[in-house]
Amino acid sequence: MRVKAGLTVFLALLIGMMIAVVFGFLEAARVSGLKANAEMQTMQAADSLLSEYQPGLWKDYDVLFWDASENGADGAALRQKQFLDQNRIITEEKRMRLEYPFLELDCSRVAADGYEYATDRGGEPFREQAVIAAKEGLAESAVKELSDALIQKEEEPVQEETLEQMEMEAGELDQKLEAGAKNEEEGSEASGDSEASETDAPEALSLQQKHALKKDNPIKWMIRMKKEGILAVVMPDRSVSEKEMEHPDQIEKRALQAGNYIHVKQSGKADDLWYLLYLQQHFSDASRESLGGVFDYEMEYLIAGKAKDADNLKSVINRLLLMREGVNYVYLLHDAGKNNEALLLATAIASAFGQPELAEPVKHVILLAWAYAESISDVRVLLDGGKLLPVKTKAQWRTDLSDLSGTYRGEEGNPENSRGLTYTQYLQLLLLAEKKDKVTYRTMDLIEQREEIRMDQMISRMKCSYLFEAPPLFWRFVTIGDNTFRGFAYQTERTLSYFPGEQN
């Protein structure tokens, strides 16, 4: 009996096609699994990289950056490739469970397509992190309190340029008085009637009074004090730090490594205040204890940017003196009683020099000297931990006109009225007047010196691309048609960031 084989061949072809379809579906399902595995592996690699943040920056300054000092952004890509290769190592446990072949991937390339350094865009990445740290460490009310404190001004003081011009004119007026007195003496000696001039005018000054006014008056006192070392005046009983940067390499003066990450963030006035609070938390000044940085007067460095502690303090103190001098001068102009005191003394001084017509300009110089004496007292109060209102009040006025002679160095101790701004808050006022990028760069200067790093090698954001490859598994059993498929290639991208909500 002969059996026909046609049905057997048909079934064989049908079974072969069914097997191909089944293995095709299995391979398709595996592809979805491979993609999910690739995403999971890139997430693990990214998280592993970000966990290797620079420890000193986090411990001392509450900011997170990845140190790219060895190989730059390429080093970050290489490090992720190492993590991914390590994940491919097949453990004995996986081998026993036969898990390893199905979703095994080979990462053939990791590239850093975009990256951002802390110093990019004027230091904006660092500034952003500092603001975040301040917001996390302080209550929302802190920024309102600072804002309320810094906007207390009720009246604009005399501008610094105007004060400096007035001080120059004071020196010229002093020379004019001296020249007039010299001419008068020469004229009196020539006529021989110096004694008669003293007795003819009953209200005239005695020779002794004239001599005293010529030798020691508020004008000469101010000129002498301006020439003295100001730190010895405002800090007579305190030693001044002699610290300095051993190897100054300031960020604003050097060529920086730059990233290519595009990020736009608009920061408002509130963020500027949060940044000031961050500085207050992490950096010292002359009124507060040193926090172990390269300087004792770190906030002063942020304003002045000099390589020596003493130079920074001197620069800031001079600016504070000018600021307070303008405030005090405005107060004196509006105080009728003190104006009368100054006019009486000015008349006596002008008469002593034989030039009574100069009484009015001498009065204004005396007011300026009085304002300067009060400014010295103001700064000493601030350095001693006291507070001063931005606008001078009668309750906070401390000096007398009679003090402006000899070696007077200002009052010391705290004022009776404890309302107003502290020394640190006055520094914050000065910082608000500086350019943002300059202050931010100087902040990072201090960090670099303490941590011995370079902030233009610290990465905060990255965009990386990953290329994965996998050989076919189930498709190898498909024998129908042209089976030249050699494997899968899958590319994915990921954003790495230390900023909340940005990583994906």
Side-chain angles (χ1 to χ4, degrees):
M1 182 177 176
R2 299 174 63 188
V3 180
K4 294 183 178 180
L7 184 61
T8 304
V9 172
F10 173 75
L11 286 174
L13 291 173
L14 184 60
I15 291 171
M17 291 180 64
M18 290 178 63
I19 291 173
V21 170
V22 170
F23 280 116
F25 277 118
L26 289 173
E27 195 67 69
R30 177 172 175 261
V31 168
S32 297
L34 288 171
K35 289 182 178 180
N37 189 29
E39 293 292 341
M40 182 183 68
Q41 288 197 40
T42 57
M43 179 181 67
Q44 291 175 340
D47 287 346
S48 297
L49 180 78
L50 293 176
S51 70
E52 295 184 335
Y53 52 82
Q54 213 286 336
L57 290 176
W58 175 247
K59 178 184 176 183
D60 298 327
Y61 298 102
D62 297 326
V63 292
L64 291 167
F65 290 92
W66 193 82
D67 190 345
S69 56
E70 291 189 9
N71 298 303
D74 291 337
L78 177 62
R79 185 62 176 145
Q80 290 182 85
K81 180 71 165 56
Q82 293 172 350
F83 289 132
L84 292 166
D85 290 342
Q86 190 174 9
N87 286 342
R88 288 190 67 241
I89 298 175
I90 301 170
T91 64
E92 190 63 29
E93 182 182 359
K94 287 183 177 181
R95 191 180 301 277
M96 293 296 294
R97 293 191 312 210
L98 301 178
E99 291 180 0
Y100 63 92
F102 298 101
L103 299 178
E104 183 179 355
L105 282 168
D106 177 29
C107 180
S108 58
R109 179 179 64 84
V110 180
D113 301 320
Y115 47 93
E116 174 188 78
Y117 291 116
T119 52
D120 287 350
R121 305 187 308 279
E124 189 61 34
F126 173 83
R127 198 177 182 94
E128 282 184 65
Q129 285 216 40
V131 169
I132 292 172
K135 289 180 178 179
E136 291 178 349
L138 296 169
E140 190 74 26
S141 58
V143 74
K144 185 178 185 307
E145 291 174 5
L146 178 60
S147 177
D148 291 343
L150 298 185
I151 60 173
Q152 290 182 55
K153 290 189 177 181
E154 299 174 3
E155 187 174 2
E156 284 297 319
V158 178
Q159 296 298 315
E160 293 181 5
E161 295 80 3
T162 304
L163 287 172
E164 291 171 349
Q165 179 63 31
M166 291 174 67
E167 288 169 2
M168 289 179 59
E169 292 173 357
E172 294 172 359
L173 180 61
D174 183 59
Q175 293 176 5
K176 187 174 182 180
L177 290 171
E178 290 286 357
K182 185 177 181 181
N183 292 335
E184 183 187 33
E185 289 174 1
E186 291 175 352
S188 298
E189 290 175 0
S191 61
D193 59 358
S194 59
E195 289 294 331
S197 65
E198 290 296 325
T199 57
D200 291 344
E203 295 181 0
L205 296 169
S206 68
L207 283 173
Q208 185 177 3
Q209 289 173 321
K210 281 187 176 184
H211 180 72
L213 287 172
K214 288 179 181 180
K215 181 180 178 182
D216 203 0
N217 62 64
I219 302 175
K220 293 189 176 297
W221 174 86
M222 182 179 69
I223 293 172
R224 184 171 64 251
M225 295 300 289
K226 292 279 186 179
K227 292 179 179 179
E228 285 191 27
I230 193 60
L231 297 184
V233 175
V234 298
M235 302 173 67
D237 303 321
R238 295 169 58 181
S239 59
V240 177
S241 169
E242 297 180 357
K243 289 184 177 180
E244 64 179 293
M245 287 185 177
E246 294 183 1
H247 307 288
D249 188 18
Q250 294 161 307
I251 291 176
E252 60 184 316
K253 296 181 181 179
R254 73 176 189 239
L256 302 174
Q257 295 189 53
N260 58 356
Y261 192 99
I262 299 175
H263 179 77
V264 178
K265 183 183 185 304
Q266 297 295 331
S267 59
K269 292 183 177 179
D271 285 346
D272 294 341
L273 296 179
W274 279 116
Y275 188 70
L276 292 179
L277 289 171
Y278 173 84
L279 297 178
Q280 181 178 331
Q281 279 187 306
H282 293 86
F283 298 95
S284 61
D285 60 52
S287 70
R288 296 181 293 140
E289 186 177 354
S290 172
L291 300 176
V294 64
F295 285 140
D296 284 346
Y297 315 136
E298 293 177 312
M299 293 278 280
E300 287 84 351
Y301 172 78
L302 301 181
I303 298 168
K306 300 181 184 297
K308 293 183 179 181
D309 240 348
D311 291 341
N312 289 315
L313 182 60
K314 182 178 179 180
S315 176
V316 169
I317 293 300
N318 280 324
R319 290 185 62 177
L320 282 178
L321 285 171
L322 272 176
M323 179 189 294
R324 295 303 303 177
E325 188 177 357
V327 170
N328 296 331
Y329 184 71
V330 168
Y331 173 81
L332 287 172
L333 289 176
H334 291 83
D335 189 308
K338 288 182 169 50
N339 262 271
N340 288 333
E341 285 185 61
L343 181 59
L344 288 173
L345 181 58
T347 302
I349 292 173
S351 299
F353 281 94
Q355 300 178 76
E357 70 279 3
L358 295 179
E360 187 63 24
V362 169
K363 183 195 83 169
H364 285 281
V365 175
I366 289 174
L367 291 177
L368 187 66
W370 200 351
Y372 183 69
E374 183 71 13
S375 301
I376 293 174
S377 291
D378 287 347
V379 173
R380 291 188 65 176
V381 165
L382 292 173
L383 289 171
D384 287 340
K387 294 182 179 181
L388 290 172
L389 291 170
V391 176
K392 178 65 72 172
T393 64
K394 186 174 183 179
Q396 287 198 334
W397 192 270
R398 301 165 61 79
T399 58
D400 294 324
L401 194 54
S402 58
D403 294 328
L404 276 62
S405 62
T407 58
Y408 177 73
R409 304 254 174 146
E411 301 290 336
E412 56 185 327
N414 296 336
E416 295 179 4
N417 192 336
S418 61
R419 295 182 300 115
L421 303 182
T422 64
Y423 176 77
T424 302
Q425 289 173 327
Y426 272 99
L427 296 189
Q428 290 170 328
L429 268 177
L430 294 177
L431 285 169
L432 279 177
E434 297 288 338
K435 292 183 178 179
K436 285 185 183 180
D437 56 350
K438 182 177 291 188
V439 174
T440 308
Y441 281 156
R442 289 174 181 174
T443 305
M444 291 188 282
D445 285 339
L446 296 174
I447 294 174
E448 285 189 347
Q449 291 287 322
R450 180 174 181 179
E451 305 297 335
E452 298 183 350
I453 58 174
R454 287 175 65 102
M455 292 301 289
D456 60 336
Q457 296 173 341
M458 300 294 122
I459 291 178
S460 54
R461 292 181 175 97
M462 290 184 69
K463 280 188 178 179
C464 293
S465 60
Y466 310 80
L467 180 62
F468 291 92
E469 295 178 349
L473 181 60
F474 298 105
W475 195 257
R476 289 178 296 178
F477 299 105
V478 178
T479 58
I480 298 176
D482 183 15
N483 191 3
T484 58
F485 180 60
R486 292 292 178 266
F488 302 96
Y490 176 66
Q491 181 166 313
T492 183
E493 295 181 349
R494 184 167 293 279
T495 299
L496 290 71
S497 175
Y498 284 113
F499 296 89
E502 290 190 6
Q503 188 170 344
N504 60 33

